[in-house]
Amino acid sequence: MIIVSDTYLDEARLRALIAASAGPDIAALIDRIFCSSDHRRSKHEGLFTDVLRLLDVSPTDLLHLGDNEAA
């Protein structure tokens, strides 16, 4: 499981917040976190391109669940 987030937080801080709010067992299920602040571009600007390249997968290999229907 991966998380792709448009955030000013870096991966370590976002992972810590997830662990603090959801618990360490849930946080342990997350394999990778990609933050726009670490990659210096948002999802809209191509962050998913970076994710696909770094994971060496095609878009058809992913299932995307979002929290903002309009986005």
Side-chain angles (χ1 to χ4, degrees), residues 6-64:
D6 281 334
T7 182
Y8 61 90
L9 303 173
D10 63 17
E11 178 184 353
R13 184 163 297 201
L14 184 54
R15 188 178 288 278
L17 285 172
I18 292 168
S21 63
D25 292 340
I26 298 298
L29 297 173
I30 302 167
D31 298 306
R32 299 279 300 267
I33 297 177
F34 297 90
C35 297
S36 59
S37 62
D38 291 333
H39 293 270
R40 303 201 189 284
R41 61 183 177 167
S42 68
K43 294 175 193 176
H44 175 74
E45 296 169 327
L47 179 56
F48 276 108
T49 301
D50 294 343
V51 171
L52 294 170
R53 180 179 46 79
L54 291 167
L55 296 177
D56 193 27
V57 297
S58 73
T60 58
D61 293 330
L62 298 179
L63 170 64
H64 176 258

